Amino acid sequence: MATSGEIVLDVEGLRMRYGTTDVLHGVTFGARQGEVLALLGPNGAGKTTTIEIMEGFRARSAGRVRVLGTDPAHGTEQWRARLGVVLQSWRDHGRWRVRELLAHLGTYYAPYSTDAIRRPWDTGELLEAVGLSEHADRKIRTLSGGQRRRLDVAIGLVGRPELLFLDEPTAGFDPEARHEFHGLVQRLADDRETTVLLTTHDLDEADKLADRILILAGGRIVADGPADDLARRTTAADEVRWTRDGRNFVTSTPGSTAFVRGLFHAYGEEISGLEVRRASLEDTYLELVRQGEAAAREAKAAQ
Amino acid sequence: MIPAMTPAATALRAGWARGLIELRQSFTNAGDLLAHLLWPVLMLAVLYFMRDRPFGSEGLLLGTLALPSILGMNAAMGMVSMAQTLTAEREDGTLLRAKATPDGMRSYLVGKVVTVAGGLFVQLAILLLPGLLIIDGLAVGSLDAWLTLTWVLVLGMLATLPLGAVLGSVFTSSRGQGLLQLVVLGMIAVSGIFYPITSMPEWLQGTAHFSPVYWLGLGMRSALLPESAVSVEIGGSWRQLETVGALGAWALLGLAVAPFVLRRMARGESGSSVAARRDRALRRIG
């Protein structure tokens, strides 16, 4: 069993080549237990390939990959029992009923239960956690898109995974379903036991859920850090507005927190109407992807 | 605390549970129920019209000869269901789900064998019980007949189900499946199911020896027909040793090749391969 802060994901120099095309050139990143990571990047950047390699579903061309301390290419069933996988779309087991499938899949994890982690997750509790209790006896193929997705997440969680992969978990959700789903991931993250790696195209979602954001562009990780830090690495700046002596002020700064601290230090109670608008993650993301893809093109041209 | 179980035991237990659940589903669902009933009912109708047609000079009736043969053919059709299920469940991601679950692949396969074999047994009963009322001249009074029926069936399933799994992993598209169906129909045609094989040209009789359908039909006839009916068989013998040999050889081949082919197939499964297959399927429809 992993202790808090233990390294759960360790990827170094990961390369993937299809024929003569390199899709990933030396991807490097890691994750500690309990972290929530969001992997962002344009379509075709290799996000799915990266995740599939870590899930043990795809063989890599080169590089070092350790998932829960094991090379996924040689993962045992014991290792498999510690992972949860939620892929982009599932249509399987349409004739099964929701509770029936969850209870059945749970039995596979029982032999891998430990004193620290009781497997599987109780079916009733899990249904409650993903908000499917009232649909427990429905046939799976009659579920709506959002309900089906929540079931997929429940199946990903049924073995109480130490590491959960979520590939575009909220694609096709309505705002309410998205909100509920975010609550579910945040509750998981609060326990600091499950490490989560999710891919998404929704930057607000990444900002809201992830402790750290990874941006994959041109086959490399071009950014790795908390959303706030990423903003600081580009020219995008925060906007700070305040009022003093009845006058309105506005300024742009990449370090809004430090600026505001300075402001209060200098004027204290005189400051009112403070407003900080952070540089949007979108600005940062677009800028970083542009830089990353340009660098990849240059590297290719230089060959 | 749950007692520690070996992975093999888990796979067997979970697979068994899985097979029974899917078997129950297939009998509580209108579409599947129709599929289960259609074939036996159709065959019963055929038998009904054949029942009084005499064959040869021994006083045998065509319907009497055909009933056990049809049972044998039915058992061999498990090969096709197995192949079709594998192809379909690869496309909808069931196999990938199994791969993402600890010990899931093995349980999946155990479950499939339980579902397909269970379905076959039920179909067999649906065919055999009314068949016994329609058809005269069967030798079903002895324990011996039922014992022979049992070993032929078990060996037949061992011969055809692993083979079906191999075919299902090799033919990944529905077009491939169509081809497979054609081959199986051809096999049935040359296997002397609806008409005694000795009335066919000799070269066809030779071909039939490679078909598990022929051996299953022969084995079933040896179980359910009176001794006098042996005269319409090749060489005037039930050739039970040869039946064991031929079905056993198919079983060994299937069991030897299946794990290898299935492992290779499982290795290739990933979210993107499932998505790519689905896109291809949608393009075909659209």
Side-chain angles (χ1 to χ4, degrees):
Chain A
M1 147 93 212
T3 56
S4 194
E6 192 166 298
I7 290 172
V8 168
L9 266 179
D10 181 12
V11 178
E12 207 182 307
L14 170 63
R15 285 173 180 277
M16 190 69 199
R17 166 178 287 242
Y18 294 112
T20 55
T21 323
D22 278 329
V23 182
L24 302 174
H25 327 250
V27 167
T28 299
F29 67 94
R32 288 180 179 281
Q33 192 193 2
E35 270 190 307
V36 178
L37 260 64
L39 182 61
L40 306 181
N43 284 331
K47 296 191 300 284
T48 299
T49 302
T50 306
I51 286 213
E52 287 184 352
I53 289 169
M54 290 186 288
E55 289 165 344
F57 290 166
R58 192 177 281 277
R60 62 186 183 271
S61 305
R64 201 185 107 90
V65 179
R66 289 287 177 278
V67 174
L68 296 168
T70 299
D71 180 344
H74 305 289
T76 59
E77 299 298 318
Q78 168 118 41
W79 171 77
R80 171 71 58 207
R82 299 166 64 197
L83 299 184
V85 172
V86 181
L87 298 182
Q88 279 188 22
S89 72
W90 291 101
R91 294 177 308 143
D92 60 308
H93 292 96
R95 287 145 40 131
W96 290 58
R97 293 181 195 277
V98 172
R99 186 199 310 275
E100 185 177 53
L101 182 61
L102 269 184
H104 174 71
L105 290 176
T107 61
Y108 291 72
Y109 293 89
Y112 302 100
S113 182
T114 62
D115 288 339
I117 304 174
R118 293 286 180 197
R119 297 182 163 107
W121 196 320
D122 176 78
T123 310
E125 276 175 38
L126 183 53
L127 283 167
E128 195 63 49
V130 296
L132 279 178
S133 296
E134 55 183 304
H135 305 296
D137 294 315
R138 274 174 61 185
K139 280 202 179 145
I140 291 171
R141 65 166 159 231
T142 68
L143 296 178
S144 73
Q147 290 161 350
R148 167 84 227 205
R149 208 78 190 104
R150 274 183 275 164
L151 171 64
D152 289 337
V153 173
I155 294 173
L157 289 172
V158 72
R160 287 201 184 272
E162 290 157 63
L163 172 61
L164 179 65
F165 294 105
L166 294 169
D167 203 359
E168 298 195 19
T170 57
F173 274 27
D174 60 35
E176 198 190 340
R178 187 180 304 256
H179 180 78
E180 282 173 17
F181 177 80
H182 289 170
L184 174 64
V185 174
Q186 278 162 342
R187 281 198 299 282
L188 269 181
D190 284 346
D191 296 341
R192 306 309 288 177
E193 272 171 10
T194 312
T195 311
V196 180
L197 178 69
L198 66 99
T199 70
T200 179
H201 282 297
D202 180 344
L203 297 167
D204 289 333
E205 178 169 285
D207 194 11
K208 193 166 164 191
L209 296 180
D211 300 315
R212 245 166 67 215
I213 287 175
L214 305 169
I215 298 176
L216 188 62
R220 285 190 174 79
I221 299 284
V222 295
D224 178 351
D228 298 350
D229 289 3
L230 297 192
R232 223 159 287 139
R233 291 189 29 190
T234 59
T235 47
D238 303 342
E239 194 179 75
V240 184
R241 293 166 181 274
W242 70 97
T243 308
R244 182 169 67 85
D245 291 344
R247 283 175 59 204
N248 294 325
F249 294 86
V250 59
T251 188
S252 280
T253 166
S256 52
T257 310
F259 180 83
V260 170
R261 195 185 305 120
L263 203 61
F264 278 111
H265 197 72
Y267 302 106
E269 307 250 328
E270 292 172 42
I271 305 292
S272 65
L274 179 74
E275 217 178 283
V276 179
R277 200 185 70 83
R278 280 215 336 230
S280 82
L281 183 59
E282 190 177 348
D283 302 333
T284 313
Y285 169 79
L286 291 173
E287 175 65 23
L288 286 169
V289 167
R290 209 158 32 234
Q291 288 172 7
E293 289 184 334
R297 268 194 303 277
E298 275 168 36
K300 199 167 184 180
Q303 275 175 2
Chain B
M1 181 72 210
I2 302 140
M5 288 212 312
T6 64
T10 318
L12 269 177
R13 208 172 66 159
W16 177 255
R18 182 178 187 83
L20 291 185
I21 290 172
E22 296 205 320
L23 197 59
R24 194 195 62 222
Q25 283 165 356
S26 79
F27 283 98
T28 49
N29 152 322
D32 281 11
L33 203 57
L34 188 71
H36 276 308
L37 290 173
L38 185 68
W39 189 246
V41 167
L42 215 66
M43 289 299 112
L44 282 173
V46 170
L47 283 172
Y48 184 78
F49 289 112
M50 286 168 95
R51 74 190 190 286
D52 291 331
R53 294 247 314 266
F55 177 81
S57 53
E58 312 279 328
L60 287 167
L61 298 173
L62 210 47
T64 316
L65 294 174
L67 174 65
S69 312
I70 290 173
L71 290 178
M73 170 187 71
N74 240 11
M77 291 305 269
M79 186 164 63
V80 179
S81 345
M82 192 77 185
Q84 280 172 339
T85 317
L86 269 185
T87 305
E89 299 200 331
R90 231 170 141 176
E91 205 159 282
D92 73 13
T94 307
L95 244 97
L96 183 57
R97 179 78 78 196
K99 193 179 169 183
T101 313
D103 309 305
M105 241 348 161
R106 274 193 282 188
S107 314
Y108 171 82
L109 288 171
V110 172
K112 274 299 98 122
V113 171
V114 171
T115 312
V116 172
L120 284 179
F121 279 120
V122 173
Q123 283 202 17
L124 238 51
I126 297 176
L127 192 57
L128 182 59
L129 300 179
L132 290 175
L133 299 177
I134 299 176
I135 300 296
D136 293 324
L138 292 168
V140 288
S142 65
L143 180 66
D144 212 36
W146 296 100
L147 284 178
T148 310
L149 180 95
T150 309
W151 75 250
V152 170
L153 262 184
V154 170
L155 189 61
M157 303 234 165
L158 280 174
T160 51
L161 295 186
L163 210 58
V166 170
L167 293 172
S169 352
V170 176
F171 294 101
T172 53
S173 65
S174 15
R175 198 173 308 163
Q177 287 294 324
L179 195 74
L180 178 65
Q181 293 235 26
L182 220 63
V183 172
V184 172
L185 283 178
M187 247 190 221
I188 291 171
V190 303
S191 293
I193 296 298
F194 294 99
Y195 211 75
I197 192 160
T198 40
S199 356
M200 293 184 185
E202 283 212 357
W203 64 270
L204 262 184
Q205 293 184 24
T207 322
H209 286 81
F210 293 100
S211 150
V213 181
Y214 166 70
W215 292 106
L216 262 160
L218 177 65
M220 289 298 204
R221 287 194 295 278
S222 81
L224 299 178
L225 290 183
E227 206 43 52
S228 60
V230 79
S231 61
V232 301
E233 300 298 341
I234 297 171
S237 155
W238 293 125
R239 297 199 289 171
Q240 289 197 329
L241 270 182
E242 287 92 328
T243 304
V244 173
L247 290 179
W250 279 113
L252 284 180
L253 181 75
L255 289 170
V257 177
F260 169 76
V261 176
L262 287 168
R263 247 200 302 276
R264 207 194 55 171
M265 174 190 69
R267 243 198 326 269
E269 287 306 292
S270 67
S272 31
S273 65
V274 171
R277 263 199 303 278
R278 186 178 52 235
D279 288 349
R280 266 207 310 277
L282 286 176
R283 261 203 305 279
R284 261 202 312 275
I285 297 161

